[in-house]
Structures are given as structure tokens and as C-alpha cells.
Amino acid sequence: MKRTIIRPNGLPESISTQVVTPIMPSVVYASKNPNELDKQYEGKEKGFTYAREGHPNAEIVANLLDRLEGNSSGLVVGSGMAAVTAVALGVCSSGDHILGGDQLYGRSLRLMKEDLPRFDIETSFADPTNVGAIEKALRPNTRLILVEAVSNPTLRIADLEGISKICKRKKILMAVDNTFTTPLAIKPLKLGADFVINSITKLLAGHSDVTLGYVAAKRKKHAEAIYNFVVSSGLTPSPFDCWLAERGLATFSLRFEKSQKTAFSLAKFLSSHKKVIKTLYPKLMDHPDKRRASKILGKNGCNMVSFAIEGGRKAANKFVSNIRGVAFAPTLGDVGTTISHPSSSSHRYLSPEARNALGISEGFFRISVGLEDASELIEEFRQALDKQ
Ligand SMILES: *Cc1c(COP(=O)(O)O)cnc(C)c1O
């Protein structure tokens, strides 16, 4: 750091170097002279200039996620929704049509329904587990298909292979939101996707103390378009959040393995309990997309389990009051197990009929399994279910 009048000491001297990444909040970077600055802007020399355009903490996290997703041009942005927005507005223009999976994350649905049409971007939805339905929903101006590999909260598995084939044939771009599945279970770019999106907020950072997103494009021209849109629209992440995310990422694979192992045990327990009328988990034999689940997810089942009990809202309230060791909170991917109730949170704006069509009754719950001891967690669910 250059010594200046206002910062006369620069950084303390040290012949040894940090092992841990420092937080680097500097918004501006001083260059040696205008010629050196030219070299940076022309891309001949690598250097940071202004934090909205990129900063070291963001780049470190992007590089870590690039390694996981098998990519080299990913970008960290201010939230998972910023990543969805960056793909939609970075590569689509007015007159284009975006086809979404009909069970996308709530805010992605809302962005597509309420916001994109204001910019004359057409949107519609189809069932991503059914390639026929996807193909039928295409329009001559379809530019992008946005899907999630595992749907929220009913854990249906999208036919990524089938959709990718249609996209190749029709020259349509394909984006996969990998938040639920994470790059440890699926690497969408290797399955034919043109874009991958992750909410780092969830499992990747893992401690519910950071809001960040990641977006990567397979092709350079798309990566550049997204980068320019992100910088112009200010979807920039904060250095401190990136620093926390880097710290969270250090244990991501351990957390993911432990959580999904516990999730499978919990799913088996739930499906054997007499008060549970339905349990959904990709590795259970009665999962509606079992074959596709093992093909796409391999040995992974991920950390989300959904289940239903009878008795409507009253029974749901009673169950939540009795399950004291688990936070009732509509998020996922925390170190602690959380349980959410889609009909009063993520899916509250759907009519009861529309919810029922998806199988989301008042007794339907979604669990994001964390790092508790498996038997202790199962015991917590057992005592609450036994009281139903
Ligand atoms: C949470 C989530 C998002 C949005 O991420 P934020 O970081 O909260 O903006 C997008 N997609 C999916 C599947 C999510 O679960």
C-alpha cells in the first residue's frame, strides 16, 4: 500500500505472509501512472481498479466455485436473485421469451411473472420433469430455459438431459439454478447447460450469515455480457460477505456429506412413522422420479426432505410447536436443521387448489437437514410426531 499524506504508514511490514485471506474492503486501487492504468484497462496487465468492477475477496470465492462447477469465468454477485437477474437481463432482450420450470424458487417465479414482462420479455412456465411439456411450451422467440434440478418443495427431478437436447436442437440457451443440489451433486455445465446459478447464501456459505450468489456461463461472450450487466447494474457483492463465504466454503464438502447422510436417515425414519402420510427424498424407493434421481444425482440425495402429516393447519401448528430443537424458518442450507411450511411461506400466494395440485397440503413440511447428530435429530422428530 502506497504511503500517502492521509495514510502515512501504509501497511505494517512483514517478511512473512498471511495464511488466511485478509478482508480487502478497498473500493479504489492506486495505479503507478496513466500508462500502467491503460495496460490494466486494455487487459494487458491484471489489476483491480474499482470494487464494483471486481475485488479480490469476490474473485477468490468465484475461483473456488469455478473449480467446483468446472468453469473458469464465474462471477460472485450480491445474492442468488442477483445471479438469476444477471442471466435473464444479461443475455435476453425485449421481444425474447424465457421459459421457466413451473416450480422455480418463489422469487424467480415472481421476477419472471411480474418484472421481466415490464421490459417486454415474455415469460411462461412448464413442468421440467416432462420434456414433452417443455417442448410444447416453446415459442419461436424462446431464448432461454431456466430450470432447477430438484424442485422446491416437492423434490421432483427435472429431465435435464432431455431439456438440454431440446435446447441444443433449437439453439435455445439453458440455465440451471443449482442451489438445492450444489456442484457436489450436479455440475450443470457438464450436463449441457449454458449457465449455472447458485445462491451462495444457502449450502455453499452454509451459516446463514451471508447473502451472495454465483453465476457462470459456458461461453465467453455470455460471461462478458453478464459481467458488463452486473457491473453496470451494481449487483456487486460486499468484500466482507465474500470473506465469510470463503470461510464457509472451506467446510462445504464436509457439511454437505454429513447433511445428506443424516437427511437419508431422517427420510427413512419419517417414511416408517405412522403419522407421516408421505415422505419425499430422492433416494427413497418410492420417489416419483427415482430412476432419474440416481442418474442425475448419482449417489447423492442432498439435504432436503419433505413430508406430510394429516389434520390441516391445526395439526401443522401443533407439530411446529412441539418440535423445539429445530428452527421453524423458511430457508435452507444452514448448519442447523430448519423446517418450513410452504403453504404459509414460499407458496402462500398460490390458491389452495394450485397448492393441492402440487401436493402441498396444510400438513406438508420441508426440512433442510443440518449438522446435528442424526439420532438426536430423529428423536426430536419422533417425539413431536408421537404427540400428533
Ligand atoms: C434462495 C434461493 C435463491 C435466491 O438466493 P438469495 O441468495 O436468497 O437471493 C435462488 N434459487 C433458489 C433455488 C434458492 O433456494
Side-chain angles (χ1 to χ4, degrees), residues 98-144:
I98 304 180
L99 178 62
D102 57 2
Q103 282 195 62
L104 289 177
Y105 178 67
R107 276 284 154 180
S108 301
L109 285 176
R110 202 174 156 133
L111 176 78
M112 289 182 63
K113 282 183 187 160
E114 309 284 328
D115 297 301
L116 297 181
R118 294 190 291 111
F119 302 97
D120 283 332
I121 295 174
E122 291 170 28
T123 58
S124 63
F125 304 91
D127 177 1
T129 66
N130 177 350
V131 220
I134 291 283
E135 182 140 26
K136 228 169 118 191
L138 295 178
R139 300 179 186 172
N141 55 340
T142 304
R143 170 129 174 95
L144 178 74

Side-chain angles (χ1 to χ4, degrees), residues 79-82 84 105 108 148 152 177 179-180 197 199-202 211-213 332:
S79 68
M81 281 316 299
V84 176
Y105 178 67
S108 301
E148 288 166 23
N152 172 31
D177 180 337
T179 302
F180 256 56
I197 291 162
S199 168
I200 297 175
T201 316
K202 310 291 171 55
T211 303
L212 284 178
L332 65 110

Side-chain angles (χ1 to χ4, degrees), residues 59-81:
E59 192 168 311
I60 286 164
V61 174
N63 288 342
L64 288 169
L65 289 173
D66 282 348
R67 286 168 85 110
L68 287 173
E69 289 287 8
N71 179 265
S72 61
S73 64
L75 203 60
V76 172
V77 290
S79 68
M81 281 316 299

